[in-house]
């Protein structure tokens, strides 16, 4: 039996604010807010609205969707969402998935291949995803105890590292907001480039982080560790409704040798706690779909044993036939040897022809 659809309505910025204000204990990721949608819009990624989903009059969930345009696979993406306001049972999630599928199939403003969102109970119509879009496990530090008790809860390695950084003369500063862009561009982006080259990941260009700081400044902090007046490590945190996140960070090799990132994060915890935040998420750690996060997992585990499971990102195809064709093409591209390229080309041709067909029977 097909789950009954939920009622949905598009929210204005004011409507979103009133709705979430009525639920003060629900953690709202910053990526699911109008402020984040405005930042994405400034970067050229088109928001497709904030939507509330109801079971009759009872609020079930809220989701902010962004349009993503990529070859053969336009999509709508709920980054770190949806946000749930009721118990996330398999039955409730099934209704939301079906509702989202029907909603955007019928939406005349978009024609995406799929909708991407986090799913806790994997079931039809969710599948895939073509690419994973968010981490699945994270460390969360409780900031409600006293500073002394927070520090005491760290593993011995973290406490020792903090003391070693202090003995080395590391100086941690919160940067004045008026100086964020200049300091980031001149002093901090080179550290990010070094970190990316060392750890094997691709960073955004400096303008991305500068615009993030400019657009979302009311919800951010920029802190830097210095040694002898030279920046050697930095971090950016986010805050929204009492929940903070250790969002971006980078360190020189010299900073790592004297454990500056440990002292920097400890200072961030103290500042975030003083500002009224009850928790700080340290973002992703190693999981089945993100083995590469092993490089940061040991560092983050030193600050808390509280591992939180994050629902995995999946796709809800709006045209299952075309989605399966493109999924096959992607799988072939990733796994076939060179001699199988002709098969891949044929599959891509088929996927391309399906791209121009959209039938209500799929």
């Amino acid at each position: 039996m097909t789950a009954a659809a939920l009622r949905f309505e598009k929210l204005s910025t004011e409507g979103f604010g009133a709705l979430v204000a009525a639920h003060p204990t629900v953690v709202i990721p910053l990526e699911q807010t109008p402020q984040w949608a405005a930042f994405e819009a400034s970067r050229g990624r088109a928001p497709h609205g904030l939507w509330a989903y109801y079971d009759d009059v009872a609020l079930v969930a809220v989701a902010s969707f962004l349009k993503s345009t990529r070859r053969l696979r336009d999509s709508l993406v709920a980054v770190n969402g949806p946000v749930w306001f009721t118990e996330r049972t398999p039955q409730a999630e099934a209704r939301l998935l079906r509702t989202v599928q029907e909603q955007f199939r019928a939406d005349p403003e978009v024609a995406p291949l799929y909708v991407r969102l986090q799913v806790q109970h994997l079931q039809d119509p969710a599948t895939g995803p073509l690419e994973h879009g968010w981490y699945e496990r994270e460390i969360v530090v409780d900031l409600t105890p006293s500073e002394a008790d927070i520090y005491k809860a760290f593993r011995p390695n973290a406490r020792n590292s903090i003391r070693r950084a202090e003995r080395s003369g590391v100086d941690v500063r919160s940067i004045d907001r008026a100086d964020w862009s200049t300091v980031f561009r001149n002093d901090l982006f080179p550290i990010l480039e070094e970190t990316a080259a060392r750890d094997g990941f691709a960073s955004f260009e400096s303008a991305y982080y500068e615009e993030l700081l400019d657009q979302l400044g009311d919800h951010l902090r920029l802190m830097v560790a210095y040694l002898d007046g030279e920046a050697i490590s930095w971090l950016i945190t986010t805050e929204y409704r009492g929940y903070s996140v250790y969002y971006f960070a980078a360190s020189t090799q010299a900073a790592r040798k004297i454990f500056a990132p440990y002292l920097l994060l400890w200072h961030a915890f103290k500042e975030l706690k003083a500002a009224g935040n009850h928790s700080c998420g340290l973002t992703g750690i190693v999981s089945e779909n993100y083995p590469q996060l092993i490089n940061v997992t040991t560092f983050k585990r030193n600050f808390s044993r509280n591992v939180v499971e994050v629902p995995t990102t999946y796709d809800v195809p709006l045209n299952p036939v075309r989605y399966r064709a493109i999924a096959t093409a992607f799988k072939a591209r990733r796994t076939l040897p060179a001699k199988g390229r002709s098969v891949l080309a044929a599959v891509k041709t088929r996927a391309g022809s399906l791209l121009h067909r959209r039938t209500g029977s799929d």
Side-chain angles (χ1 to χ4, degrees), residues 182-253:
T182 301
V183 170
F184 189 90
R185 184 185 317 114
N186 296 334
D187 301 335
L188 308 186
F189 187 66
I191 298 174
L192 179 59
E193 291 182 302
E194 176 186 331
T195 303
R198 182 183 64 236
D199 294 345
F201 66 88
S203 70
F204 297 107
E205 72 282 4
S206 182
Y208 173 90
Y209 303 94
E210 293 173 48
E211 197 151 355
L212 177 89
L213 291 164
D214 180 59
Q215 294 282 333
L216 293 169
D218 290 343
H219 303 281
L220 304 181
R221 294 175 190 272
L222 176 61
M223 302 181 68
V224 182
Y226 292 86
L227 183 66
D228 298 327
E230 180 180 353
I232 58 172
S233 183
W234 60 266
L235 60 77
I236 293 173
T237 60
T238 67
E239 299 168 65
Y240 191 73
R241 286 170 37 112
Y243 189 85
S244 57
V245 178
Y246 169 64
Y247 214 88
F248 291 117
S251 298
T252 64
Q253 186 61 31

Side-chain angles (χ1 to χ4, degrees), residues 4-326:
L6 299 168
R7 178 173 64 87
F8 57 88
E9 65 179 47
K10 196 171 187 177
L11 296 172
S12 65
T13 298
E14 295 74 20
F16 174 86
L19 188 151
V20 300
H23 301 81
T25 62
V26 175
V27 172
I28 313 287
L30 187 58
E31 299 87 356
Q32 284 291 295
T33 66
Q35 293 91 329
W36 188 272
F39 163 66
E40 292 281 7
S42 74
R43 298 291 302 167
R45 195 177 185 187
H48 192 58
L50 279 154
W51 300 85
Y53 297 87
Y54 297 88
D55 182 3
D56 194 11
V57 297
L59 179 63
V60 174
V62 169
S64 174
F65 292 99
L66 301 171
K67 298 177 185 177
S68 178
T69 302
R70 304 178 72 180
R71 184 173 180 269
L72 296 180
R73 58 190 195 280
D74 287 1
S75 62
L76 292 176
V77 182
V79 182
N80 200 14
V83 182
W84 282 78
F85 291 78
T86 189
E87 185 180 358
R88 194 173 189 164
T89 64
Q91 295 77 18
E93 196 160 52
R95 294 183 67 187
L96 179 63
L97 294 175
R98 290 293 179 188
T99 300
V100 166
Q101 187 180 55
E102 294 173 13
Q103 172 188 1
F104 293 116
R105 271 180 172 170
D107 190 332
E109 296 183 12
V110 290
L113 174 64
Y114 57 86
V115 179
R116 177 164 292 167
L117 70 172
Q118 291 173 329
V119 178
Q120 184 167 308
H121 309 282
L122 181 58
Q123 57 190 305
D124 288 336
T127 188
L130 295 181
E131 309 96 352
H132 289 283
W134 202 254
Y135 53 80
E136 300 164 322
R137 305 171 76 210
E138 71 167 329
I139 300 289
V140 177
V141 177
D142 182 6
L143 299 180
T144 57
S146 67
E147 283 188 11
D149 287 339
I150 293 173
Y151 185 81
K152 190 184 302 181
F154 296 164
R155 294 189 177 186
N157 184 57
R159 298 196 298 270
N160 291 336
S161 297
I162 290 167
R163 290 192 289 266
R164 291 174 69 175
E166 289 173 331
R167 290 196 297 269
S168 296
V170 174
D171 174 32
V172 175
R173 306 175 200 168
S174 290
I175 306 302
D176 290 338
R177 185 170 175 178
D179 299 326
W180 281 358
S181 291
T182 301
V183 170
F184 189 90
R185 184 185 317 114
N186 296 334
D187 301 335
L188 308 186
F189 187 66
I191 298 174
L192 179 59
E193 291 182 302
E194 176 186 331
T195 303
R198 182 183 64 236
D199 294 345
F201 66 88
S203 70
F204 297 107
E205 72 282 4
S206 182
Y208 173 90
Y209 303 94
E210 293 173 48
E211 197 151 355
L212 177 89
L213 291 164
D214 180 59
Q215 294 282 333
L216 293 169
D218 290 343
H219 303 281
L220 304 181
R221 294 175 190 272
L222 176 61
M223 302 181 68
V224 182
Y226 292 86
L227 183 66
D228 298 327
E230 180 180 353
I232 58 172
S233 183
W234 60 266
L235 60 77
I236 293 173
T237 60
T238 67
E239 299 168 65
Y240 191 73
R241 286 170 37 112
Y243 189 85
S244 57
V245 178
Y246 169 64
Y247 214 88
F248 291 117
S251 298
T252 64
Q253 186 61 31
R256 297 173 68 174
K257 288 181 178 179
I258 58 173
F259 304 96
Y262 285 87
L263 181 61
L264 178 60
L265 188 51
W266 170 225
H267 275 264
F269 289 152
K270 291 190 285 186
E271 191 167 308
L272 291 166
K273 174 182 172 58
N277 292 281
H278 57 75
S279 305
C280 183
L282 302 188
T283 66
I285 60 172
V286 67
S287 64
E288 180 180 357
N289 291 311
Y290 294 93
Q292 69 273 24
L293 291 178
I294 188 64
N295 295 331
V296 297
T297 298
T298 300
F299 171 73
K300 294 176 181 179
R301 284 187 183 276
N302 278 309
F303 293 98
S304 176
R305 294 174 173 80
N306 181 27
V307 176
V308 175
E309 300 292 330
V310 179
T312 299
T313 299
Y314 289 101
D315 298 339
V316 175
L318 304 192
N319 186 318
V321 173
R322 181 157 53 93
Y323 181 92
R324 285 194 294 270
I326 293 174

